[in-house]
């Protein structure tokens, strides 16, 4: 396992939706250069954790720290809203649905964040946007609108858009689950390149066990809002500690 500096630290994280407790005291860290694959059944809290890390969902209780910026859950004050904005500058997120702006070209989608949120120079942003599209294999699609792109291509644009903000960590929330099987590989290849070539710290919610086996430093199994088990892929695939983990892996392998 990678043992660099801690990039993300979650302590005592609880999340309620009404009376339903979705996260029940999560403690977790992500180190520099580390890829953590989060797995579990639907409703186990995986996606909610990612959404709490960048405060798309406010944690009910507990703390989240990203790149040294530490925020507690609870009431969202004006001061806290500014702190959340600062924290999000360090986090890139890729969703299950691509969430591209349909009226913008691929390049404009990639440029939007740096121009609007960071106020960077347009020429510099354009050059970086073109480089990022090239990096995800879409240099020839820069002027295409999302409707003209396949699902896999749209998701690769979404990855480039997240990278354009120069984040310290990337969060992937089931990035291939909306794709046809033949398009899944092209997205996973980009993610693998991020991990192996760029050493980008990543938290990945996915059921793609081939990716987990090949790329993950650590796998974390969520069950009913808690971390039931975690370890390197060889351990998780070979000799799990909990029957619940084994049953889940047997079902998805």
């Amino acid at each position: 396992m990678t043992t660099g500096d801690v990039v993300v630290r979650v302590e005592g994280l609880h999340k309620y939706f009404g009376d339903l407790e979705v996260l029940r005291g999560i403690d977790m860290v992500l180190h520099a250069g580390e890829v953590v694959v989060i797995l579990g059944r639907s409703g186990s809290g995986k996606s909610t954790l990612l959404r709490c890390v960048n405060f798309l969902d406010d944690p009910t209780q507990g703390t989240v720290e990203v790149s040294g910026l530490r925020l507690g859950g609870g009431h969202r004050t004006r001061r806290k809203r500014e702190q959340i904005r600062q924290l999000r500058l360090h986090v890139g997120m890729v969703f299950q649905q691509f969430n591209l702006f349909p009226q913008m070209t691929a390049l404009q989608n990639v440029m939007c964040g740096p121009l609007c949120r960071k106020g960077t120079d347009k020429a510099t942003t354009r050059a970086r946007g073109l480089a990022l599209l090239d990096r995800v294999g879409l240099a020839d699609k820069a002027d295409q609108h999302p409707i003209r792109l396949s699902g896999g291509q749209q998701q690769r644009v979404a990855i480039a858009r997240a990278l354009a903000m120069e984040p310290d960590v990337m969060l992937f929330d089931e990035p291939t689950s909306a794709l046809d099987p033949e398009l899944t590989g092209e997205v996973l290849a980009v993610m693998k390149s991020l991990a192996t070539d760029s050493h980008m710290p990543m938290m990945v919610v996915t059921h793609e066990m081939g990716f987990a086996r090949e790329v993950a430093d650590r796998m974390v199994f969520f069950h009913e809002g808690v971390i039931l088990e975690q370890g390197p892929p060889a351990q998780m695939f070979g000799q799990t500690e909990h029957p619940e983990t084994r049953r889940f892996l047997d079902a998805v392998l």
Side-chain angles (χ1 to χ4, degrees), residues 8 10 17 29 62 118 125 137 146 150 157 161 164 177 230 234 239 245:
V8 177
V10 172
F17 293 101
V29 297
K118 285 190 169 182
T125 302
S150 70
V157 173
R161 179 178 63 180
S177 63
Q230 61 182 307
Q239 187 61 49
T245 313

Side-chain angles (χ1 to χ4, degrees), residues 56-241:
L56 288 174
D57 287 333
D58 251 321
T60 307
Q61 181 182 334
T63 60
V64 174
E65 182 178 328
V66 178
S67 297
L69 298 172
R70 184 179 177 89
L71 283 175
H75 183 59
R76 188 174 291 202
T77 62
R78 179 177 297 180
R79 178 173 178 271
K80 184 177 176 183
R81 284 195 293 270
E82 174 57 24
Q83 292 174 321
I84 290 171
R85 191 187 73 81
Q86 291 296 326
L87 180 145
R88 285 177 179 162
L89 293 175
H90 297 273
V91 180
M93 186 156 184
V94 177
F95 300 88
Q96 178 178 345
Q97 301 298 331
F98 322 123
N99 293 342
L100 298 179
F101 297 113
Q103 73 278 17
M104 295 183 179
T105 65
L107 179 58
Q108 288 169 339
N109 266 281
V110 175
M111 292 173 61
C112 181
L115 287 176
C116 299
R117 295 176 61 188
K118 285 190 169 182
T120 53
D121 172 75
K122 188 171 183 178
T124 302
T125 302
R126 177 181 172 82
R128 176 163 171 75
L130 289 169
L132 286 170
L133 286 174
D134 183 56
R135 181 175 178 179
V136 300
L138 294 174
D140 59 335
K141 303 295 184 181
D143 295 325
Q144 296 290 326
H145 287 80
I147 196 171
R148 301 291 184 184
L149 303 176
S150 70
Q153 290 170 336
Q154 289 186 60
Q155 192 62 297
R156 284 186 280 156
V157 173
I159 293 172
R161 179 178 63 180
L163 291 173
M165 295 298 291
E166 301 181 286
D168 296 329
V169 58
M170 287 284 286
L171 311 180
F172 292 88
D173 188 8
E174 301 196 41
T176 61
S177 63
L179 300 177
D180 294 332
E182 63 268 25
L183 300 178
T184 295
E186 63 190 48
V187 173
L188 294 178
V190 170
M191 294 169 61
K192 180 181 176 182
S193 173
L194 279 178
T196 58
D197 300 338
S198 303
H199 306 292
M200 171 66 73
M202 296 161 54
M203 297 173 69
V204 184
V205 172
T206 185
H207 289 163
E208 297 291 340
M209 293 299 98
F211 175 85
R213 190 189 298 272
E214 186 176 0
V215 180
D217 296 292
R218 180 161 42 107
M219 296 170 63
V220 179
F221 179 62
F222 270 56
H223 180 65
E224 297 181 351
V226 300
I227 294 175
L228 190 64
E229 186 172 356
Q230 61 182 307
Q235 173 187 318
M236 295 290 282
F237 286 117
Q239 187 61 49
T240 58
E241 297 177 4

